[in-house]
Short mmCIF file of all heavy atoms in Angstrom, two decimals:
data_model
loop_
_atom_site.label_atom_id
_atom_site.label_comp_id
_atom_site.label_asym_id
_atom_site.label_seq_id
_atom_site.Cartn_x
_atom_site.Cartn_y
_atom_site.Cartn_z
N GLN F 175 -7.21 14.22 -5.62
CA GLN F 175 -6.15 14.70 -4.73
C GLN F 175 -4.88 13.86 -4.81
O GLN F 175 -3.83 14.28 -4.34
CB GLN F 175 -6.64 14.72 -3.27
CG GLN F 175 -7.70 15.78 -3.02
CD GLN F 175 -8.07 15.80 -1.55
OE1 GLN F 175 -8.90 15.03 -1.11
NE2 GLN F 175 -7.42 16.66 -0.78
N GLY F 217 -10.49 22.11 6.82
CA GLY F 217 -9.15 22.11 6.27
C GLY F 217 -9.12 21.11 5.14
O GLY F 217 -10.10 20.40 4.90
N CYS F 218 -8.01 21.04 4.42
CA CYS F 218 -7.93 20.16 3.26
C CYS F 218 -6.46 19.78 3.05
O CYS F 218 -5.59 20.65 3.11
CB CYS F 218 -8.47 20.88 2.03
SG CYS F 218 -8.40 19.89 0.53
N LEU F 219 -6.22 18.50 2.78
CA LEU F 219 -4.84 18.04 2.57
C LEU F 219 -4.23 18.69 1.32
O LEU F 219 -3.00 18.75 1.22
CB LEU F 219 -4.80 16.52 2.44
CG LEU F 219 -5.19 15.75 3.71
CD1 LEU F 219 -5.24 14.26 3.43
CD2 LEU F 219 -4.25 16.06 4.86
N SER F 220 -5.06 19.21 0.42
CA SER F 220 -4.54 19.88 -0.77
C SER F 220 -4.32 21.38 -0.54
O SER F 220 -3.84 22.07 -1.43
CB SER F 220 -5.50 19.69 -1.95
OG SER F 220 -5.53 18.32 -2.32
N HIS F 260 -17.62 18.22 1.35
CA HIS F 260 -16.25 18.64 1.04
C HIS F 260 -15.60 17.67 0.04
O HIS F 260 -15.03 18.10 -0.97
CB HIS F 260 -15.45 18.69 2.35
CG HIS F 260 -14.00 19.04 2.17
ND1 HIS F 260 -13.43 20.17 2.73
CD2 HIS F 260 -13.00 18.41 1.51
CE1 HIS F 260 -12.15 20.22 2.38
NE2 HIS F 260 -11.85 19.15 1.66
N GLU F 261 -15.70 16.37 0.32
CA GLU F 261 -15.00 15.39 -0.53
C GLU F 261 -15.64 15.29 -1.92
O GLU F 261 -14.94 15.19 -2.92
CB GLU F 261 -14.96 14.03 0.14
CG GLU F 261 -14.18 13.98 1.45
CD GLU F 261 -12.77 14.55 1.35
OE1 GLU F 261 -12.16 14.47 0.27
OE2 GLU F 261 -12.29 15.10 2.35
N HIS F 264 -14.57 17.82 -4.41
CA HIS F 264 -13.30 17.57 -5.11
C HIS F 264 -13.55 16.90 -6.47
O HIS F 264 -12.77 17.09 -7.40
CB HIS F 264 -12.40 16.66 -4.27
CG HIS F 264 -11.63 17.37 -3.20
ND1 HIS F 264 -10.69 18.33 -3.47
CD2 HIS F 264 -11.66 17.25 -1.84
CE1 HIS F 264 -10.17 18.76 -2.32
NE2 HIS F 264 -10.74 18.13 -1.32
NI1 NI Q 149 -10.12 18.43 0.67
#
Side-chain angles (χ1 to χ4, degrees):
Q175 291 184 276
C218 180
L219 295 175
S220 294
H260 177 118
E261 297 308 330
H264 278 296

